[in-house]
Coordinates of all heavy atoms in Angstrom, one line a residue:
M1 N 16.3 -19.9 9.9 CA 15.4 -19.2 9.0 C 14.6 -18.2 9.8 O 14.1 -18.5 10.9 CB 14.4 -20.2 8.3 CG 13.4 -19.5 7.4 SD 12.2 -20.5 6.5 CE 13.0 -22.0 6.3
T2 N 14.4 -17.0 9.3 CA 13.7 -15.9 10.0 C 12.3 -15.8 9.4 O 12.1 -16.0 8.2 CB 14.4 -14.5 9.7 OG1 15.7 -14.6 10.2 CG2 13.7 -13.4 10.4
T3 N 11.3 -15.6 10.2 CA 9.9 -15.4 9.8 C 9.4 -14.0 10.1 O 9.5 -13.6 11.3 CB 9.0 -16.5 10.4 OG1 9.5 -17.8 10.0 CG2 7.6 -16.4 9.9
I4 N 8.9 -13.3 9.1 CA 8.3 -12.0 9.4 C 6.8 -12.2 9.3 O 6.2 -12.6 8.3 CB 8.7 -11.0 8.3 CG1 10.3 -10.9 8.3 CG2 8.1 -9.7 8.5 CD1 10.8 -10.2 7.1
E5 N 6.1 -11.9 10.4 CA 4.6 -12.1 10.5 C 4.0 -10.8 9.9 O 4.3 -9.7 10.2 CB 4.2 -12.2 11.9 CG 4.6 -13.5 12.6 CD 4.0 -14.8 12.0 OE1 2.9 -14.7 11.5 OE2 4.7 -15.8 12.0
L6 N 3.0 -11.0 9.0 CA 2.2 -9.9 8.4 C 0.7 -10.1 8.8 O 0.5 -10.9 9.7 CB 2.3 -10.0 6.9 CG 3.8 -9.9 6.3 CD1 3.8 -10.2 4.9 CD2 4.4 -8.6 6.6
K7 N -0.2 -9.4 8.2 CA -1.6 -9.5 8.6 C -2.3 -10.6 7.7 O -1.8 -11.0 6.7 CB -2.3 -8.2 8.4 CG -1.8 -7.1 9.4 CD -2.6 -5.8 9.2 CE -2.0 -4.8 10.2 NZ -2.9 -4.7 11.4
N8 N -3.5 -11.0 8.2 CA -4.4 -11.9 7.4 C -3.7 -13.3 7.2 O -4.0 -13.9 6.1 CB -4.8 -11.3 6.1 CG -5.6 -10.0 6.3 OD1 -6.3 -9.9 7.3 ND2 -5.5 -9.1 5.4
G9 N -2.9 -13.7 8.1 CA -2.2 -15.0 8.0 C -1.0 -15.1 7.1 O -0.4 -16.1 6.9
Y10 N -0.7 -14.0 6.5 CA 0.5 -13.9 5.6 C 1.8 -13.8 6.4 O 1.8 -13.2 7.5 CB 0.4 -12.7 4.6 CG -0.6 -12.9 3.6 CD1 -1.8 -12.3 3.7 CD2 -0.3 -13.6 2.4 CE1 -2.8 -12.4 2.7 CE2 -1.3 -13.7 1.4 CZ -2.5 -13.1 1.5 OH -3.5 -13.2 0.6
Y11 N 2.8 -14.4 5.9 CA 4.2 -14.2 6.5 C 5.2 -14.4 5.5 O 5.0 -15.0 4.4 CB 4.3 -15.2 7.7 CG 4.2 -16.7 7.3 CD1 5.3 -17.5 7.1 CD2 2.9 -17.3 7.2 CE1 5.2 -18.8 6.8 CE2 2.8 -18.6 6.9 CZ 3.9 -19.4 6.7 OH 3.8 -20.7 6.4
I12 N 6.4 -13.9 5.8 CA 7.5 -14.1 4.8 C 8.6 -14.9 5.6 O 9.0 -14.6 6.7 CB 8.1 -12.7 4.4 CG1 7.1 -11.9 3.7 CG2 9.4 -12.9 3.6 CD1 7.5 -10.5 3.4
E13 N 9.1 -16.0 4.9 CA 10.2 -16.7 5.4 C 11.5 -16.2 4.7 O 11.5 -16.1 3.5 CB 10.0 -18.2 5.1 CG 8.9 -18.8 5.9 CD 8.6 -20.3 5.6 OE1 9.1 -20.8 4.6 OE2 8.0 -20.9 6.4
V14 N 12.5 -15.9 5.5 CA 13.7 -15.4 4.9 C 14.8 -16.4 5.1 O 15.0 -16.9 6.2 CB 14.1 -14.1 5.7 CG1 15.4 -13.5 5.1 CG2 13.0 -13.1 5.6
D15 N 15.5 -16.8 4.0 CA 16.6 -17.7 4.1 C 17.7 -17.1 3.3 O 17.6 -16.0 2.7 CB 16.3 -19.1 3.8 CG 15.8 -19.3 2.3 OD1 16.3 -18.6 1.4 OD2 15.0 -20.2 2.1
S16 N 18.8 -17.8 3.2 CA 20.0 -17.3 2.4 C 19.7 -17.2 0.9 O 20.5 -16.4 0.3 CB 21.2 -18.2 2.7 OG 21.0 -19.5 2.2
L17 N 18.8 -17.8 0.4 CA 18.5 -17.8 -1.0 C 17.4 -16.9 -1.5 O 17.4 -16.3 -2.6 CB 18.2 -19.2 -1.6 CG 19.3 -20.2 -1.4 CD1 18.9 -21.6 -1.8 CD2 20.6 -19.8 -2.1
N18 N 16.3 -16.7 -0.7 CA 15.2 -15.9 -1.1 C 14.3 -15.5 0.0 O 14.5 -15.9 1.2 CB 14.4 -16.6 -2.2 CG 13.9 -18.0 -1.8 OD1 13.4 -18.1 -0.7 ND2 14.0 -19.0 -2.6
Y19 N 13.2 -14.8 -0.3 CA 12.2 -14.4 0.5 C 10.9 -15.1 0.0 O 10.5 -14.9 -1.1 CB 12.0 -12.9 0.5 CG 13.2 -12.1 0.9 CD1 14.2 -11.9 0.1 CD2 13.3 -11.7 2.3 CE1 15.4 -11.2 0.5 CE2 14.4 -11.0 2.7 CZ 15.5 -10.8 1.8 OH 16.6 -10.1 2.2
T20 N 10.3 -16.0 0.9 CA 9.1 -16.7 0.5 C 7.9 -16.2 1.1 O 7.8 -16.2 2.4 CB 9.3 -18.2 0.8 OG1 10.5 -18.7 0.3 CG2 8.2 -19.0 0.3
L21 N 6.9 -15.7 0.3 CA 5.7 -15.2 0.9 C 4.7 -16.4 1.0 O 4.5 -17.1 0.0 CB 5.1 -14.2 0.0 CG 3.7 -13.6 0.4 CD1 3.8 -12.9 1.7 CD2 3.2 -12.6 -0.7
R22 N 4.2 -16.6 2.2 CA 3.2 -17.7 2.4 C 2.0 -17.2 3.2 O 2.1 -16.1 3.8 CB 3.9 -18.8 3.3 CG 5.1 -19.5 2.6 CD 5.6 -20.6 3.4 NE 6.8 -21.1 2.9 CZ 6.9 -22.2 2.2 NH1 5.9 -22.8 1.8 NH2 8.1 -22.6 1.7
Q23 N 1.0 -18.0 3.1 CA -0.2 -17.7 3.9 C -0.7 -18.9 4.6 O -0.8 -20.0 4.1 CB -1.4 -17.2 3.0 CG -2.6 -16.7 3.7 CD -3.7 -16.3 2.8 OE1 -3.9 -16.7 1.7 NE2 -4.6 -15.4 3.4
H24 N -1.0 -18.7 5.9 CA -1.6 -19.7 6.8 C -3.1 -19.4 6.8 O -3.5 -18.3 7.0 CB -1.0 -19.6 8.2 CG -1.6 -20.4 9.2 ND1 -2.3 -20.0 10.3 CD2 -1.6 -21.8 9.3 CE1 -2.7 -21.0 11.0 NE2 -2.3 -22.1 10.4
Y25 N -3.9 -20.4 6.6 CA -5.3 -20.2 6.6 C -6.0 -21.5 7.0 O -5.4 -22.6 7.1 CB -5.8 -19.8 5.2 CG -5.6 -20.8 4.1 CD1 -6.7 -21.6 3.7 CD2 -4.4 -20.9 3.4 CE1 -6.5 -22.5 2.7 CE2 -4.2 -21.9 2.4 CZ -5.3 -22.7 2.1 OH -5.1 -23.6 1.1
Y26 N -7.3 -21.5 7.1 CA -8.1 -22.6 7.4 C -9.1 -22.9 6.3 O -9.8 -22.0 5.8 CB -8.9 -22.4 8.7 CG -8.0 -22.4 9.9 CD1 -7.4 -21.3 10.4 CD2 -7.6 -23.6 10.5 CE1 -6.6 -21.3 11.5 CE2 -6.8 -23.6 11.6 CZ -6.2 -22.5 12.1 OH -5.4 -22.5 13.1
G27 N -9.1 -24.1 5.7 CA -9.9 -24.4 4.6 C -10.9 -25.5 5.0 O -10.7 -26.2 6.1
T28 N -11.9 -25.8 4.2 CA -12.8 -26.8 4.4 C -12.6 -28.0 3.5 O -12.5 -27.8 2.3 CB -14.3 -26.3 4.3 OG1 -14.4 -25.1 5.1 CG2 -15.3 -27.3 4.7
T29 N -12.6 -29.2 4.0 CA -12.4 -30.4 3.1 C -13.8 -30.7 2.5 O -14.8 -30.2 2.8 CB -12.0 -31.6 4.0 OG1 -13.0 -31.9 4.9 CG2 -10.6 -31.3 4.7
K30 N -13.8 -31.7 1.6 CA -15.0 -32.2 1.0 C -16.0 -32.7 2.0 O -17.2 -32.7 1.7 CB -14.7 -33.3 -0.1 CG -13.9 -32.7 -1.3 CD -13.6 -33.8 -2.3 CE -12.8 -33.3 -3.4 NZ -12.4 -34.3 -4.4
D31 N -15.5 -33.2 3.1 CA -16.3 -33.8 4.1 C -16.9 -32.7 5.1 O -17.6 -33.0 6.0 CB -15.5 -34.8 5.0 CG -15.0 -35.9 4.1 OD1 -15.6 -36.3 3.1 OD2 -13.9 -36.5 4.5
G32 N -16.5 -31.4 4.8 CA -17.0 -30.3 5.6 C -16.2 -30.1 6.9 O -16.5 -29.3 7.7
E33 N -15.0 -30.8 6.9 CA -14.1 -30.6 8.1 C -13.2 -29.4 7.8 O -12.7 -29.3 6.7 CB -13.3 -31.9 8.2 CG -12.4 -31.9 9.4 CD -11.6 -33.2 9.4 OE1 -12.1 -34.3 9.0 OE2 -10.4 -33.1 9.8
E34 N -13.0 -28.6 8.9 CA -12.1 -27.5 8.7 C -10.7 -27.9 9.1 O -10.5 -28.6 10.1 CB -12.5 -26.3 9.7 CG -11.8 -25.0 9.4 CD -12.4 -23.9 10.1 OE1 -13.6 -23.5 9.8 OE2 -11.7 -23.3 10.9
R35 N -9.7 -27.5 8.2 CA -8.4 -28.0 8.3 C -7.4 -26.8 8.2 O -7.7 -25.9 7.4 CB -8.0 -29.0 7.3 CG -8.8 -30.3 7.4 CD -8.3 -31.3 6.5 NE -7.4 -32.1 7.3 CZ -6.8 -33.2 6.8 NH1 -7.0 -33.5 5.6 NH2 -6.0 -33.9 7.6
E36 N -6.3 -26.9 8.9 CA -5.3 -25.9 8.8 C -4.5 -26.1 7.5 O -4.2 -27.3 7.1 CB -4.3 -26.0 10.0 CG -3.2 -25.0 10.0 CD -2.4 -25.2 11.2 OE1 -2.1 -26.3 11.7 OE2 -2.0 -24.2 11.8
A37 N -4.1 -25.1 6.7 CA -3.4 -25.2 5.5 C -2.5 -24.0 5.3 O -2.6 -23.0 6.0 CB -4.4 -25.3 4.3
F38 N -1.5 -24.2 4.4 CA -0.5 -23.2 4.1 C -0.4 -23.1 2.6 O -0.5 -24.1 1.8 CB 0.9 -23.6 4.6 CG 0.9 -23.8 6.1 CD1 0.6 -25.0 6.7 CD2 1.2 -22.7 6.9 CE1 0.6 -25.1 8.1 CE2 1.2 -22.8 8.3 CZ 0.9 -24.0 8.9
R39 N -0.3 -21.9 2.1 CA -0.2 -21.6 0.7 C 1.1 -20.8 0.4 O 1.4 -19.8 1.1 CB -1.4 -20.7 0.3 CG -1.4 -20.3 -1.2 CD -2.7 -19.4 -1.5 NE -3.9 -20.1 -1.0 CZ -4.9 -19.5 -0.5 NH1 -4.9 -18.3 -0.2 NH2 -6.0 -20.3 -0.1
T40 N 1.9 -21.2 -0.6 CA 3.0 -20.5 -1.0 C 2.6 -19.5 -2.1 O 2.1 -19.9 -3.1 CB 4.2 -21.4 -1.5 OG1 4.5 -22.3 -0.5 CG2 5.4 -20.6 -2.0
C41 N 2.8 -18.2 -1.8 CA 2.4 -17.2 -2.8 C 3.5 -16.7 -3.7 O 3.2 -16.0 -4.6 CB 1.8 -16.0 -2.0 SG 0.5 -16.4 -0.8
G42 N 4.7 -17.1 -3.4 CA 5.8 -16.7 -4.3 C 7.2 -16.7 -3.6 O 7.3 -16.6 -2.4
Y43 N 8.2 -16.8 -4.5 CA 9.6 -16.7 -4.1 C 10.2 -15.5 -4.7 O 10.0 -15.2 -5.9 CB 10.4 -17.9 -4.6 CG 9.8 -19.2 -4.1 CD1 8.9 -20.0 -4.9 CD2 10.1 -19.7 -2.8 CE1 8.4 -21.2 -4.4 CE2 9.6 -20.9 -2.4 CZ 8.7 -21.7 -3.2 OH 8.2 -22.8 -2.7
F44 N 10.9 -14.7 -3.9 CA 11.4 -13.4 -4.3 C 12.8 -13.2 -4.0 O 13.3 -13.7 -3.0 CB 10.5 -12.3 -3.7 CG 9.0 -12.5 -4.0 CD1 8.2 -13.2 -3.1 CD2 8.5 -12.0 -5.1 CE1 6.9 -13.4 -3.4 CE2 7.1 -12.2 -5.4 CZ 6.3 -12.9 -4.5
G45 N 13.5 -12.3 -4.8 CA 14.9 -12.0 -4.6 C 15.2 -11.0 -3.5 O 16.3 -10.9 -3.0
D46 N 14.2 -10.2 -3.2 CA 14.3 -9.2 -2.1 C 13.0 -9.0 -1.4 O 12.0 -9.3 -1.9 CB 15.0 -7.9 -2.7 CG 14.1 -7.1 -3.6 OD1 12.9 -6.9 -3.3 OD2 14.6 -6.8 -4.7
I47 N 13.1 -8.3 -0.3 CA 12.0 -8.1 0.6 C 10.9 -7.2 0.0 O 9.7 -7.4 0.1 CB 12.4 -7.6 2.0 CG1 11.3 -7.6 3.0 CG2 13.0 -6.2 1.9 CD1 10.9 -9.0 3.5
R48 N 11.4 -6.3 -0.8 CA 10.4 -5.3 -1.4 C 9.5 -6.0 -2.4 O 8.3 -5.7 -2.5 CB 11.2 -4.2 -2.1 CG 11.9 -3.3 -1.0 CD 12.5 -2.1 -1.6 NE 13.4 -1.4 -0.7 CZ 13.0 -0.7 0.4 NH1 11.7 -0.6 0.6 NH2 13.9 -0.1 1.2
Q49 N 10.0 -6.9 -3.2 CA 9.2 -7.7 -4.1 C 8.2 -8.5 -3.4 O 7.0 -8.6 -3.8 CB 10.1 -8.6 -5.0 CG 11.0 -7.8 -6.0 CD 11.9 -8.8 -6.7 OE1 12.2 -9.9 -6.2 NE2 12.4 -8.4 -7.8
A50 N 8.6 -9.1 -2.3 CA 7.6 -9.9 -1.5 C 6.5 -9.1 -0.9 O 5.4 -9.4 -0.9 CB 8.4 -10.7 -0.4
I51 N 6.9 -7.9 -0.4 CA 5.9 -7.0 0.1 C 4.9 -6.5 -1.0 O 3.7 -6.3 -0.7 CB 6.6 -5.8 0.8 CG1 7.4 -6.3 2.1 CG2 5.6 -4.7 1.2 CD1 6.5 -6.9 3.1
K52 N 5.4 -6.2 -2.1 CA 4.6 -5.7 -3.2 C 3.5 -6.8 -3.5 O 2.3 -6.5 -3.7 CB 5.4 -5.4 -4.5 CG 6.1 -4.1 -4.4 CD 6.9 -3.9 -5.7 CE 7.7 -2.6 -5.6 NZ 8.5 -2.4 -6.8
K53 N 3.9 -8.1 -3.6 CA 3.0 -9.2 -3.8 C 2.0 -9.3 -2.7 O 0.8 -9.5 -2.9 CB 3.8 -10.5 -4.0 CG 2.9 -11.7 -4.3 CD 2.3 -11.6 -5.7 CE 1.6 -12.9 -6.0 NZ 1.1 -13.0 -7.3
Y54 N 2.5 -9.1 -1.5 CA 1.6 -9.2 -0.3 C 0.5 -8.1 -0.4 O -0.7 -8.4 -0.1 CB 2.4 -9.0 1.0 CG 1.6 -8.6 2.2 CD1 0.7 -9.5 2.8 CD2 1.8 -7.4 2.8 CE1 0.0 -9.1 3.9 CE2 1.1 -7.0 3.9 CZ 0.2 -7.9 4.5 OH -0.5 -7.5 5.6
I55 N 0.9 -6.9 -0.8 CA -0.1 -5.8 -0.9 C -1.2 -6.1 -2.0 O -2.3 -5.9 -1.7 CB 0.6 -4.5 -1.2 CG1 1.4 -4.0 0.1 CG2 -0.4 -3.4 -1.6 CD1 2.3 -2.9 -0.2
I56 N -0.7 -6.6 -3.1 CA -1.6 -7.0 -4.2 C -2.6 -8.1 -3.7 O -3.8 -8.0 -3.9 CB -0.9 -7.5 -5.4 CG1 -0.2 -6.3 -6.1 CG2 -1.8 -8.1 -6.4 CD1 0.8 -6.6 -7.1
L57 N -2.1 -9.1 -3.0 CA -2.9 -10.2 -2.5 C -3.9 -9.7 -1.5 O -5.1 -10.1 -1.4 CB -2.1 -11.3 -2.0 CG -1.3 -12.1 -3.0 CD1 -0.3 -13.1 -2.4 CD2 -2.2 -12.8 -4.0
T58 N -3.5 -8.8 -0.6 CA -4.3 -8.2 0.4 C -5.5 -7.5 -0.3 O -6.6 -7.6 0.2 CB -3.6 -7.3 1.4 OG1 -2.5 -8.1 2.0 CG2 -4.4 -6.7 2.4
Q59 N -5.2 -6.7 -1.3 CA -6.2 -6.0 -2.0 C -7.2 -6.9 -2.6 O -8.4 -6.7 -2.5 CB -5.6 -5.1 -3.2 CG -4.7 -4.0 -2.7 CD -3.9 -3.4 -3.9 OE1 -3.9 -3.9 -5.0 NE2 -3.3 -2.2 -3.6
L60 N -6.8 -8.0 -3.2 CA -7.7 -9.0 -3.8 C -8.5 -9.7 -2.7 O -9.7 -9.9 -2.9 CB -6.9 -10.0 -4.6 CG -6.2 -9.5 -5.8 CD1 -5.3 -10.6 -6.4 CD2 -7.2 -9.0 -6.9
D61 N -7.9 -10.0 -1.6 CA -8.6 -10.6 -0.5 C -9.8 -9.8 0.0 O -10.9 -10.2 0.2 CB -7.7 -10.9 0.7 CG -6.7 -12.1 0.4 OD1 -6.9 -12.8 -0.6 OD2 -5.8 -12.2 1.2
V62 N -9.5 -8.5 0.2 CA -10.5 -7.6 0.8 C -11.5 -7.2 -0.2 O -12.7 -7.1 0.1 CB -9.8 -6.3 1.4 CG1 -10.7 -5.3 1.8 CG2 -8.9 -6.7 2.5
L63 N -11.2 -6.9 -1.5 CA -12.1 -6.3 -2.4 C -12.7 -7.3 -3.4 O -13.4 -6.9 -4.3 CB -11.4 -5.2 -3.1 CG -10.9 -4.0 -2.2 CD1 -10.1 -3.0 -3.0 CD2 -12.1 -3.4 -1.5
S64 N -12.4 -8.6 -3.4 CA -12.8 -9.5 -4.4 C -14.3 -9.6 -4.5 O -14.8 -9.9 -5.6 CB -12.2 -10.9 -4.2 OG -12.6 -11.4 -3.0
E65 N -15.0 -9.5 -3.5 CA -16.5 -9.6 -3.5 C -17.2 -8.3 -3.5 O -18.4 -8.3 -3.5 CB -16.9 -10.4 -2.3 CG -16.3 -11.8 -2.2 CD -16.7 -12.7 -3.3 OE1 -17.9 -12.7 -3.7 OE2 -15.9 -13.5 -3.8
E66 N -16.5 -7.2 -3.6 CA -17.1 -5.9 -3.6 C -17.6 -5.4 -5.0 O -17.0 -5.8 -6.0 CB -16.1 -4.8 -3.1 CG -15.7 -5.1 -1.7 CD -16.8 -4.8 -0.6 OE1 -17.6 -3.9 -0.9 OE2 -16.8 -5.5 0.4
R67 N -18.6 -4.6 -5.0 CA -19.1 -4.0 -6.2 C -19.2 -2.5 -5.9 O -20.0 -2.0 -5.1 CB -20.5 -4.5 -6.4 CG -21.0 -4.2 -7.8 CD -22.4 -4.9 -8.0 NE -22.9 -4.4 -9.2 CZ -23.0 -5.1 -10.3 NH1 -22.7 -6.4 -10.3 NH2 -23.5 -4.6 -11.4
L68 N -18.2 -1.8 -6.5 CA -18.0 -0.4 -6.1 C -17.9 0.5 -7.3 O -17.6 0.1 -8.4 CB -16.7 -0.2 -5.3 CG -16.5 -1.1 -4.1 CD1 -15.1 -1.0 -3.6 CD2 -17.4 -0.6 -3.0
S69 N -18.2 1.8 -7.1 CA -17.9 2.8 -8.1 C -16.4 3.0 -8.2 O -15.6 2.6 -7.3 CB -18.5 4.2 -7.8 OG -17.9 4.7 -6.7
L70 N -15.8 3.5 -9.3 CA -14.4 3.7 -9.4 C -13.8 4.5 -8.3 O -12.8 4.2 -7.7 CB -14.1 4.4 -10.8 CG -12.6 4.6 -11.1 CD1 -11.8 3.3 -11.0 CD2 -12.4 5.3 -12.4
E71 N -14.5 5.6 -7.9 CA -14.0 6.5 -6.8 C -14.0 5.7 -5.5 O -13.0 5.7 -4.8 CB -14.9 7.7 -6.7 CG -14.5 8.6 -5.6 CD -15.4 9.9 -5.5 OE1 -16.1 10.1 -6.4 OE2 -15.3 10.5 -4.5
S72 N -15.0 4.9 -5.2 CA -15.0 4.1 -4.0 C -14.0 3.0 -4.0 O -13.3 2.7 -3.0 CB -16.4 3.5 -3.8 OG -17.4 4.4 -3.6
Y73 N -13.7 2.5 -5.2 CA -12.7 1.4 -5.3 C -11.3 2.0 -5.0 O -10.6 1.4 -4.3 CB -12.8 0.8 -6.7 CG -11.8 -0.3 -6.9 CD1 -12.0 -1.6 -6.4 CD2 -10.6 -0.1 -7.6 CE1 -11.1 -2.6 -6.6 CE2 -9.7 -1.1 -7.8 CZ -9.9 -2.3 -7.3 OH -9.0 -3.4 -7.5
V74 N -11.0 3.2 -5.6 CA -9.7 3.8 -5.3 C -9.6 4.1 -3.8 O -8.5 3.8 -3.3 CB -9.6 5.1 -6.2 CG1 -8.3 5.9 -5.8 CG2 -9.5 4.7 -7.7
K75 N -10.6 4.6 -3.2 CA -10.5 4.9 -1.8 C -10.3 3.6 -1.0 O -9.5 3.6 0.0 CB -11.8 5.6 -1.3 CG -11.8 7.1 -1.7 CD -13.1 7.7 -1.2 CE -13.2 9.2 -1.7 NZ -14.4 9.8 -1.3
S76 N -11.0 2.5 -1.4 CA -10.8 1.3 -0.7 C -9.4 0.7 -0.9 O -8.8 0.2 0.1 CB -11.8 0.2 -1.2 OG -13.1 0.7 -0.9
I77 N -8.9 0.8 -2.0 CA -7.5 0.4 -2.3 C -6.5 1.1 -1.4 O -5.6 0.6 -0.8 CB -7.1 0.5 -3.8 CG1 -7.9 -0.5 -4.6 CG2 -5.6 0.4 -4.0 CD1 -7.4 -1.9 -4.5
E78 N -6.7 2.5 -1.3 CA -5.8 3.3 -0.5 C -5.9 2.8 0.9 O -4.9 2.7 1.6 CB -6.2 4.8 -0.7 CG -5.8 5.3 -2.0 CD -6.3 6.7 -2.2 OE1 -7.2 7.2 -1.5 OE2 -5.9 7.4 -3.2
Q79 N -7.1 2.6 1.4 CA -7.3 2.1 2.8 C -6.6 0.8 3.1 O -6.0 0.5 4.1 CB -8.8 2.1 3.2 CG -9.0 1.8 4.6 CD -8.5 2.8 5.6 OE1 -8.4 4.0 5.3 NE2 -8.1 2.3 6.8
V80 N -6.9 -0.2 2.1 CA -6.3 -1.5 2.2 C -4.7 -1.4 2.3 O -4.1 -2.1 3.1 CB -6.7 -2.4 1.1 CG1 -5.9 -3.7 1.0 CG2 -8.2 -2.7 1.2
N81 N -4.2 -0.6 1.4 CA -2.7 -0.4 1.4 C -2.2 0.2 2.7 O -1.2 -0.3 3.2 CB -2.3 0.5 0.2 CG -2.5 -0.1 -1.1 OD1 -2.7 -1.3 -1.2 ND2 -2.3 0.6 -2.2
K82 N -2.9 1.1 3.2 CA -2.5 1.7 4.5 C -2.5 0.7 5.6 O -1.5 0.6 6.4 CB -3.5 2.9 4.8 CG -3.1 3.6 6.1 CD -4.1 4.7 6.3 CE -3.8 5.5 7.6 NZ -4.8 6.5 7.9
I83 N -3.5 -0.2 5.6 CA -3.5 -1.2 6.7 C -2.4 -2.2 6.4 O -1.7 -2.7 7.4 CB -4.9 -1.9 6.6 CG1 -6.0 -0.9 7.1 CG2 -4.9 -3.2 7.5 CD1 -7.4 -1.4 6.9
A84 N -2.2 -2.6 5.2 CA -1.2 -3.6 4.9 C 0.2 -3.1 5.2 O 1.1 -3.9 5.6 CB -1.2 -4.0 3.4
L85 N 0.5 -1.8 5.1 CA 1.8 -1.3 5.4 C 2.0 -0.9 6.8 O 3.2 -0.6 7.2 CB 2.0 0.0 4.5 CG 2.1 -0.3 3.0 CD1 2.2 1.0 2.2 CD2 3.4 -1.1 2.7
Q86 N 1.0 -1.0 7.7 CA 1.2 -0.6 9.1 C 2.3 -1.5 9.7 O 2.2 -2.7 9.6 CB -0.1 -0.8 9.8 CG -1.1 0.3 9.6 CD -2.4 0.0 10.3 OE1 -2.7 -1.1 10.8 NE2 -3.2 1.0 10.5
G87 N 3.2 -0.9 10.3 CA 4.3 -1.6 11.0 C 5.4 -2.2 10.1 O 6.4 -2.7 10.6
L88 N 5.3 -2.1 8.8 CA 6.3 -2.7 7.9 C 7.5 -1.8 7.7 O 8.6 -2.3 7.3 CB 5.7 -3.0 6.5 CG 4.7 -4.1 6.4 CD1 4.1 -4.3 5.0 CD2 5.3 -5.4 6.9
E89 N 7.4 -0.5 8.0 CA 8.6 0.4 7.8 C 9.8 -0.1 8.6 O 10.9 -0.2 8.1 CB 8.2 1.8 8.2 CG 7.2 2.5 7.2 CD 5.8 2.2 7.5 OE1 5.5 1.6 8.6 OE2 4.9 2.5 6.7
S90 N 9.5 -0.5 9.9 CA 10.7 -0.9 10.7 C 11.2 -2.3 10.2 O 12.4 -2.5 10.3 CB 10.2 -1.0 12.2 OG 9.2 -1.9 12.3
V91 N 10.3 -3.1 9.7 CA 10.8 -4.4 9.2 C 11.6 -4.3 8.0 O 12.6 -4.8 7.8 CB 9.6 -5.4 9.0 CG1 10.0 -6.6 8.2 CG2 8.9 -5.7 10.3
L92 N 11.1 -3.4 7.0 CA 11.8 -3.2 5.8 C 13.2 -2.6 6.0 O 14.1 -2.9 5.2 CB 11.0 -2.3 4.8 CG 9.7 -3.0 4.2 CD1 8.9 -1.9 3.4 CD2 10.1 -4.1 3.4
S93 N 13.3 -1.8 7.0 CA 14.6 -1.1 7.2 C 15.7 -2.1 7.6 O 16.9 -1.8 7.5 CB 14.5 0.0 8.2 OG 14.2 -0.5 9.5
M94 N 15.3 -3.3 8.1 CA 16.3 -4.3 8.5 C 16.9 -5.1 7.3 O 17.9 -5.7 7.5 CB 15.6 -5.3 9.4 CG 15.1 -4.7 10.7 SD 14.2 -5.9 11.8 CE 14.2 -7.4 11.1
F95 N 16.3 -4.9 6.1 CA 16.7 -5.7 5.0 C 17.2 -4.8 3.9 O 16.5 -3.9 3.4 CB 15.6 -6.5 4.4 CG 15.1 -7.6 5.4 CD1 14.0 -7.3 6.2 CD2 15.7 -8.8 5.4 CE1 13.6 -8.2 7.1 CE2 15.2 -9.7 6.4 CZ 14.2 -9.5 7.2
P96 N 18.5 -4.9 3.5 CA 19.1 -4.1 2.5 C 18.5 -4.4 1.1 O 18.2 -5.6 0.9 CB 20.6 -4.4 2.5 CG 20.6 -5.8 3.1 CD 19.5 -5.9 4.1
V97 N 18.4 -3.4 0.3 CA 17.9 -3.7 -1.1 C 19.1 -4.2 -1.9 O 20.2 -3.7 -1.8 CB 17.4 -2.3 -1.7 CG1 17.1 -2.6 -3.2 CG2 16.3 -1.8 -0.9
K98 N 18.9 -5.3 -2.6 CA 20.0 -6.0 -3.3 C 20.2 -5.3 -4.7 O 19.3 -4.8 -5.3 CB 19.7 -7.4 -3.5 CG 19.7 -8.2 -2.2 CD 19.4 -9.6 -2.4 CE 19.3 -10.4 -1.1 NZ 19.0 -11.8 -1.3

């Protein structure tokens, strides 16, 4: 299995059947203890679908607590997308579109 590392703990696992978008993060238990955890964000038929979901989740992660004007929101989305896509061009070229 191949793993593609992304930003903010996200990664894509590639196997013969699909592309699985996952996130590695640290959460807090009811006892206040910090624990390592993994979240499956979706199963996809091609790498482009997985990347689209990753971009949407990154936008939500960054902007979920923000209170912005529409213009500021659009600028923030553009900036988040730019950051999310950094370095992905070379990775995407390795995977053919099905």
Side-chain angles (χ1 to χ4, degrees):
M1 181 179 330
T2 302
T3 301
I4 302 168
E5 295 292 329
L6 304 169
K7 294 184 180 262
N8 299 327
Y10 288 98
Y11 60 98
I12 298 172
E13 292 179 344
V14 181
D15 62 33
S16 61
L17 298 176
N18 59 41
Y19 299 84
T20 305
L21 178 62
R22 296 182 188 267
Q23 184 182 29
H24 174 245
Y25 66 99
Y26 291 91
T28 305
T29 65
K30 292 179 183 178
D31 301 331
E33 183 181 327
E34 192 168 296
R35 299 186 94 176
E36 181 179 38
F38 300 88
R39 176 182 307 140
T40 299
C41 303
Y43 301 96
F44 304 93
D46 65 53
I47 189 77
R48 294 187 191 286
Q49 291 173 338
I51 294 298
K52 284 180 185 178
K53 181 68 173 190
Y54 162 68
I55 290 170
I56 290 168
L57 291 173
T58 301
Q59 291 170 349
L60 293 173
D61 288 349
V62 172
L63 299 174
S64 64
E65 302 296 320
E66 295 291 324
R67 193 175 173 111
L68 306 167
S69 68
L70 181 58
E71 183 179 343
S72 295
Y73 182 77
V74 170
K75 286 180 182 177
S76 295
I77 289 290
E78 289 171 347
Q79 184 64 29
V80 169
N81 289 350
K82 183 178 178 182
I83 292 167
L85 290 173
Q86 284 177 342
L88 288 178
E89 291 83 9
S90 60
V91 172
L92 288 175
S93 67
M94 295 176 5
F95 297 93
V97 177
K98 294 180 184 177

